[in-house]
Amino acid sequence: MGTTPFITVRARRPLTEIEFCAWVAQAVPGDRLEYHRGFLVLDIFPMFARLPDPQRAELARLGSRAFWAAEQGLVHLVQERTGPDQFAYIAVARPKPKAAAVSLSALLLAEQEAA
């Protein structure tokens, strides 16, 4: 039996929270998505960020959504060091829970209603 190489999809431009959710909804187990490259905690912190406020806010939403997806058991989150103070933030799709008959859309709506 041969081994399958891991291929990570890297976006050509910064991803939005919505695009990340769309990827999570259609990803098959083992799919990998690089959702950010940099130093996330510093990139969203106003004092250190080099991004304009709207892009920084979107990146903060994306980071929060990735963490949420990991808490829901939908993805594993990993980091790969690419250089000094530089990381690739990667989401790896997990198998969808068999007992979960609830769609990602329903989970997102329930979260919105609770807030």
Side-chain angles (χ1 to χ4, degrees):
M1 184 171 3
T3 59
T4 304
F6 292 111
I7 298 172
T8 302
V9 175
R10 182 174 183 208
R12 295 177 191 225
R13 58 174 176 70
L15 286 178
T16 66
E17 175 190 16
I18 297 299
E19 291 168 332
F20 178 82
C21 288
W23 177 84
V24 169
Q26 60 83 36
V28 296
D31 282 357
R32 297 166 50 102
L33 173 69
E34 181 181 310
Y35 60 93
H36 180 64
R37 186 172 284 240
F39 200 139
L40 188 58
V41 72
L42 295 180
D43 294 342
I44 63 174
F45 193 71
M47 187 179 296
F48 299 112
R50 298 180 206 149
L51 298 172
D53 286 346
Q55 289 178 347
R56 186 177 48 74
E58 182 62 41
L59 180 57
R61 284 190 296 274
L62 173 61
S64 294
R65 183 58 63 197
F67 186 75
W68 174 88
E71 286 181 321
Q72 299 300 312
L74 301 170
V75 298
H76 291 293
L77 298 180
V78 296
Q79 296 174 9
E80 180 181 305
R81 183 181 297 273
T82 59
D85 297 329
Q86 188 78 273
F87 300 89
Y89 293 82
I90 301 167
V92 182
R94 295 183 59 187
K96 305 287 189 272
K98 291 184 190 330
V102 180
S103 70
L104 179 62
S105 304
L107 287 173
L108 292 170
L109 285 173
E111 179 190 72
Q112 235 178 3
E113 291 170 359

